[in-house]
Amino acid sequence: MSRLAIIDYDRCQPKKCAMECIKYCPGVRMGEETIVMDESLGKPVISEELCSGCGICTKRCPFNAISIIGLPEELSEDKIVHSYGKNRFRLYGLVVPREGVVGILGPNGVGKSTILRILSGELIPNLGKLDEEPSYDKVIKHFAGTELQNYFEKLKNKEIKVIHKVQYVDVLPKVVKGKVIDILKRIDEKEKLDEIIEKLDLKNILDRELSQLSGGELQRVAIAAACLRKGDVYYFDEPTSWLDVKQRFNAARTIRELDGHVVVVEHDLIVLDYLSDYIHIVYGVPSAYGIVSHPRGVRVGINAYLDGHLKEENIKFRKEPIKFEKRPPLDTSNRPLLLKYSKMSKALDGFKLEVEGGEIYKGEVIGILGPNGIGKTTFVKLLAKIIEPDEGNVEGDIKISYKPQYITPDYDGTVEELLSSITNINSSYYKSEIIKPLQLEKLLDMNVKDLSGGELQRVAIAACLSKDADVYLIDEPSAFLDVEQRLSVSKVIRRMADEKEAAMFVVDHDILFQDYISDRFIVFSGEPGRYGKGSSPMNKRDGANIFLKEMGITFRRDPDTGRPRANKEGSQRDLYQKEIGEYYYVDE
């Protein structure tokens, strides 16, 4: 086995420690320069050649900044495509753009965005040669005899035009100014402006400044901008973030219709499945290294990812496969009633919400479905008694814990201090049920204000579930999370519902996540921004049928994994299910 020694320089703080990594390293004690201070960095550097892999430095580091990771022998130095520096992240392998849509699937932190930056020409890969200036001539020689040789030759000679829709669309107003319509007119190289406006439902925001748009509106404008430009290869990094279900499928249809090669990074498995023709799985250790698999057909690729086993490469990257077991419909006859609310209404700033009354039972998870701007969050706030209804009420004195949709890191302190202010986080139960599955171990000593979007989301979920409550209201828990994290969160929420005999209301746009987690659905419909109507809680099949019929989408079950899959629009299966009125799925 060869080794990677990875130092997280954001966490490493030599001025606040006793340099335990150097002090306790057996190699250093024997006079070897296994770990030395780099004066230019002001941080320690570990020699991977001299490192014995004992792991003492990882245990002694007070900031959990060091990881020593064993690598398969075949991942030698000459297989590195790009390295961010000594003891930093390394990428092994690349994706090859091809006819159709190529999907990239993998956890956060294993190099998916790095792959897009390399292929779009924004980053010349250094092939792991940190002391040499990277160049396309070296890259072309490295990939000699492969499809990537031809691709990089064209990229070097500017013979292909690349369009890249970046991951973080919230930065766009800082670099682009003006009204939406003016910006899109300027870049409309295909003269398809009206068509794209219609497909992505942009009519209502055309006269607004980019700086006035929400995350979902910015996302749709960014997708429109990419689709309006003439290109040979299009790269889309997480195009569904902030979008509701209808918007996600509208975006997916629009992207699929592009002329040219398309590569997409996406965490919503149903949208990725619907959108892609091929899948590359990227696996490894987040922030340490990433390995790109061979391409597979979309169904086989996603199933291999859920199985955690790449048979052709003889690689197993997850201990247990992920299965979507069909649960029988919830039997409420033997469950105690927990919450009852009457028909409620609320008028807010020109928006009117009406919700049918319902009864909620102990230990159940209620999935809330509906487009953006239809009143789902307002309903959650009515249940939480954050706002009062104009008519109707929530009966009884119910203790409620609420995780809002938009999380602001306004707590001044560490994650450990935040969670400790709510409950005893040192109990073995809390560590096994919350800390470990939500991957919070390395975040405990970090300041809440320094967390990324995904880290903050997991901490907010933990904080919500740590409170003693009868009802937990969790708004968009899958935002910023990768597939693995979404499934881990869903398992935690389900276990907490069972063990606390509490009820969970979950608002989310990831249908696979909702299907996996929910016992019943509440479905919202109406006209976004003007009028919303929420149903009473109904069984999953009825609720999903109503919701999907409104979306115009039909689903089937994958026979191997049980996961829901969207039928291609106009396919024989799609037309048949629409004809018989079964939009959710038909039992095989």
Side-chain angles (χ1 to χ4, degrees):
M1 292 283 282
S2 57
R3 292 182 190 86
L4 286 184
I6 301 294
I7 301 177
D8 185 340
Y9 285 144
D10 291 332
R11 300 180 65 87
C12 177
Q13 301 181 55
K15 293 179 181 178
K16 295 183 180 180
C17 73
M19 300 300 293
E20 286 88 347
C21 56
I22 296 175
K23 185 177 178 181
Y24 292 102
C25 174
V28 173
R29 288 184 165 193
M30 290 189 297
E32 296 177 341
E33 293 188 337
T34 311
I35 308 178
V36 297
M37 277 297 292
D38 185 313
E39 297 303 327
S40 61
L41 284 173
K43 308 273 187 179
V45 171
I46 302 173
S47 167
E48 289 166 353
E49 294 76 21
L50 297 175
C51 175
S52 66
C54 67
I56 290 173
C57 59
T58 65
K59 296 183 179 72
R60 291 288 187 174
C61 175
F63 302 109
N64 294 314
I66 303 174
S67 302
I68 306 295
I69 300 158
L71 276 180
E73 286 293 345
E74 57 267 25
L75 289 180
S76 53
E77 289 288 317
D78 62 348
K79 299 286 180 66
I80 297 174
V81 171
H82 188 71
S83 171
Y84 281 102
K86 183 74 174 172
N87 303 143
R88 306 298 296 274
F89 177 83
R90 266 157 264 195
L91 175 67
Y92 296 86
L94 274 179
V95 168
V96 182
R98 58 178 67 208
E99 286 296 329
V101 180
V102 176
I104 303 179
L105 176 58
N108 289 330
V110 292
K112 301 185 301 300
S113 294
T114 298
I115 291 167
L116 297 197
R117 290 187 63 217
I118 290 171
L119 293 175
S120 62
E122 296 167 21
L123 174 67
I124 300 176
N126 58 26
L127 308 175
K129 309 285 194 298
L130 301 177
D131 53 351
E132 298 177 15
E133 187 71 25
S135 73
Y136 277 125
D137 289 334
K138 293 174 186 175
V139 174
I140 290 163
K141 184 179 179 183
H142 179 83
F143 288 108
T146 71
E147 293 174 86
L148 284 168
Q149 176 190 356
N150 184 44
Y151 180 84
F152 281 114
E153 283 175 348
K154 289 181 177 178
L155 196 62
K156 175 194 172 187
N157 297 326
K158 295 183 170 55
E159 293 171 9
I160 54 173
K161 184 177 178 183
V162 171
I163 311 297
H164 184 193
K165 199 292 292 179
V166 295
Q167 179 181 1
Y168 299 109
V169 294
D170 51 325
V171 303
L172 292 178
K174 297 175 184 174
V175 293
V176 182
K177 307 293 182 186
K179 288 184 178 180
V180 172
I181 186 64
D182 297 331
I183 293 166
L184 295 181
K185 276 181 178 176
R186 281 202 305 269
I187 57 177
D188 181 19
E189 298 170 354
K190 297 179 179 176
E191 297 183 353
K192 289 187 174 183
L193 181 60
D194 292 340
E195 181 184 329
I196 294 295
I197 286 170
E198 184 70 29
K199 285 179 178 177
L200 296 177
D201 193 20
L202 299 173
K203 294 187 294 293
N204 295 333
I205 63 170
L206 292 175
D207 291 324
R208 284 162 59 188
E209 295 284 331
L210 211 61
S211 57
Q212 298 173 324
L213 302 185
S214 68
E217 290 163 346
L218 277 172
Q219 185 72 271
R220 283 181 285 141
V221 170
I223 294 168
C227 293
L228 287 169
R229 296 175 65 195
K230 289 180 180 176
D232 300 297
V233 190
Y234 294 83
Y235 295 105
F236 291 88
D237 201 344
E238 298 191 26
T240 70
S241 299
W242 291 299
L243 301 187
D244 65 35
V245 176
K246 189 171 187 177
Q247 292 165 346
R248 290 179 186 203
F249 279 92
N250 286 343
R253 291 186 194 104
T254 307
I255 291 168
R256 273 201 71 84
E257 291 168 3
L258 286 169
D259 293 324
H261 298 176
V262 178
V263 179
V264 179
V265 171
E266 181 52 58
H267 292 303
D268 185 325
L269 283 185
I270 288 178
V271 172
L272 186 70
D273 188 356
Y274 179 86
L275 184 56
S276 307
D277 299 300
Y278 307 95
I279 291 288
H280 282 272
I281 294 167
V282 186
Y283 60 97
V285 175
S287 302
Y289 72 93
I291 304 169
V292 181
S293 78
H294 301 310
R296 289 163 169 78
V298 62
R299 177 180 173 270
V300 172
I302 291 178
N303 284 359
Y305 180 77
L306 293 173
D307 191 41
H309 186 200
L310 305 179
K311 292 176 183 175
E312 293 84 351
E313 285 109 311
N314 195 26
I315 293 290
K316 199 172 179 72
F317 57 87
R318 190 186 305 108
K319 290 180 182 178
E320 297 291 334
I322 296 167
K323 292 285 185 184
F324 294 83
E325 297 171 5
K326 283 192 273 185
R327 287 192 299 276
L330 182 73
D331 180 10
T332 57
S333 62
N334 59 357
R335 288 184 180 241
L337 182 67
L338 176 65
L339 169 68
K340 189 174 182 180
Y341 57 93
S342 63
K343 183 176 181 179
M344 292 188 288
S345 68
K346 182 69 179 179
L348 282 170
D349 301 325
F351 177 78
K352 178 72 181 292
L353 172 66
E354 292 182 344
V355 185
E356 295 296 321
E359 295 180 341
I360 308 299
Y361 298 87
K362 287 186 177 181
E364 73 169 326
V365 179
I366 305 290
I368 301 178
L369 302 175
N372 285 332
I374 208 76
K376 302 185 304 297
T377 299
T378 302
F379 170 61
V380 165
K381 289 181 177 179
L382 288 171
L383 289 180
K385 298 185 178 178
I386 294 170
I387 57 176
E388 291 295 323
D390 296 333
E391 63 174 290
N393 68 301
V394 179
E395 293 182 12
D397 186 18
I398 300 293
K399 285 188 290 184
I400 288 177
S401 180
Y402 172 50
K403 186 206 82 71
Q405 177 182 0
Y406 299 108
I407 310 160
T408 52
D410 51 7
Y411 182 82
D412 190 14
T414 66
V415 171
E416 185 171 10
E417 288 166 349
L418 170 64
L419 297 178
S420 295
S421 69
I422 301 169
T423 190
N424 174 22
I425 71 168
N426 294 314
S427 69
S428 57
Y429 170 82
Y430 193 85
K431 287 177 179 176
S432 65
E433 296 297 315
I434 300 283
I435 298 286
K436 191 171 180 181
L438 293 182
Q439 301 167 359
L440 301 179
E441 300 99 324
K442 286 196 170 185
L443 303 183
L444 291 174
D445 62 349
M446 290 184 67
N447 197 296
V448 173
K449 292 182 178 178
D450 295 332
L451 299 179
S452 68
E455 291 167 344
L456 191 61
Q457 184 71 268
R458 285 179 280 136
V459 170
I461 293 165
C464 175
L465 296 176
S466 298
K467 293 172 183 172
D468 182 28
D470 304 301
V471 175
Y472 294 83
L473 306 168
I474 307 171
D475 204 343
E476 297 208 24
S478 78
F480 306 110
L481 302 186
D482 62 37
V483 175
E484 303 262 358
Q485 291 166 342
R486 291 178 190 200
L487 293 170
S488 295
V489 164
S490 68
K491 288 177 181 176
V492 170
I493 291 173
R494 279 226 62 90
R495 279 202 304 270
M496 289 293 107
D498 292 336
E499 291 172 10
K500 294 190 173 190
E501 292 193 317
M504 305 279 177
F505 286 83
V506 179
V507 178
D508 210 278
H509 296 300
D510 185 330
I511 297 180
L512 185 141
F513 179 85
Q514 288 281 33
D515 179 75
Y516 193 80
I517 199 174
S518 304
D519 294 306
R520 292 192 290 167
F521 286 142
I522 294 175
V523 181
F524 281 74
S525 57
E527 186 180 349
R530 295 190 177 181
Y531 172 70
K533 185 172 178 60
S535 72
S536 57
M538 58 181 78
N539 70 57
K540 281 173 69 173
R541 194 182 193 101
D542 290 344
N545 257 319
I546 290 170
F547 177 67
L548 293 174
K549 185 174 184 178
E550 197 156 298
M551 298 293 112
I553 303 162
T554 60
F555 275 25
R556 68 191 184 281
R557 290 273 182 194
D558 181 81
D560 295 333
T561 63
R563 66 184 170 92
R565 302 184 68 198
N567 295 315
K568 293 286 193 283
E569 198 171 12
S571 67
Q572 191 173 352
R573 187 68 175 263
D574 177 61
L575 295 173
Y576 169 68
Q577 287 185 222
K578 284 175 178 174
E579 185 181 332
I580 64 171
E582 287 288 356
Y583 284 72
Y584 191 30
Y585 62 87
V586 177
D587 286 318
E588 308 262 345

